[in-house]
């Protein structure tokens, strides 16, 4: 059975996935700390640091997604402590052609959260695809 914290985090991540899929910038930024660090598939290599840099990464993704790409959660696992938590998920992320060409490919998402004033905030995100060329 899920704890109240785990339920809150699951709902937070579900809302974020839906916001990403619908191109809702306000929803994407909601529940993220001002000092968020995101390691993403595209550069910069050192990641996007801070909520302003995080915000700037999304418009190109939204543009790409308008070409018919999917962004759907396949699985989510999470562990919550008293004031820190982490979650990892697999998502189907790609255009219909990309998914038809490689139907098993999954975007890997790892999220680190911390509880501030009773509210869970995403402090770290890591997005990656497996390197299938090696």
């Amino acid at each position: 059975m899920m704890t109240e914290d785990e339920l809150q985090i699951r709902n937070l991540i579900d809302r974020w996935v839906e916001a990403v899929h619908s191109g809702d910038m306000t929803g994407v930024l909601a529940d993220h700390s001002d000092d968020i660090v995101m390691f993403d598939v595209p550069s910069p290599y050192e990641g996007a640091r801070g909520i302003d840099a995080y915000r700037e990464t999304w418009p190109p993704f939204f543009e790409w997604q308008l070409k018919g790409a999917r962004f759907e959660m396949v699985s989510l696992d999470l562990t919550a402590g008293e004031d820190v938590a982490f979650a990892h998920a697999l998502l189907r992320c790609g255009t219909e052609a990309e998914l038809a060409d490689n139907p098993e490919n999954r975007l890997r998402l790892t999220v680190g959260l911390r509880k501030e004033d009773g509210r869970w905030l995403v402090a770290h995100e890591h997005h990656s695809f497996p390197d299938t060329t090696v």
Side-chain angles (χ1 to χ4, degrees):
M1 190 163 113
M2 255 192 283
T3 68
E4 181 60 30
D5 284 323
E6 289 168 338
L7 187 59
Q8 287 176 18
I9 293 165
R10 180 171 289 279
N11 289 338
L12 180 158
I13 293 171
D14 284 342
R15 286 191 309 270
W16 177 83
V17 168
E18 181 53 40
V20 170
H21 183 65
S22 62
D24 171 15
M25 182 68 81
T26 301
V28 169
L29 299 176
D31 304 312
H32 282 68
S33 66
D34 288 342
D35 62 348
I36 174 93
V37 174
M38 177 179 65
F39 297 145
D40 203 359
V41 174
S43 54
Y45 292 118
E46 67 276 6
R49 294 172 183 269
I51 195 72
D52 292 335
Y54 179 78
R55 179 186 298 109
E56 290 171 18
T57 68
W58 287 104
F61 184 84
F62 292 157
E63 280 181 38
W64 170 78
Q65 204 172 217
L66 285 172
K67 297 172 184 165
R70 289 192 195 181
F71 192 79
E72 303 166 347
M73 192 154 42
V74 175
S75 66
L76 173 64
D77 294 286
L78 57 96
T79 301
E82 223 172 279
D83 56 3
V84 293
F86 68 91
H88 55 89
L90 295 174
L91 295 99
R92 192 173 291 110
C93 178
T95 63
E96 291 302 323
E98 289 166 339
L99 293 170
D101 187 49
N102 189 355
E104 298 306 310
N105 196 22
R106 297 292 179 265
L107 176 69
R108 302 173 296 188
L109 169 70
T110 304
V111 178
L113 305 100
R114 67 177 180 249
K115 199 179 223 183
E116 292 183 6
D117 299 321
R119 179 175 169 226
W120 287 103
L121 295 174
V122 175
H124 179 67
E125 271 180 43
H126 189 134
H127 313 161
S128 67
F129 281 104
D131 181 358
T132 58
T133 64
V134 291

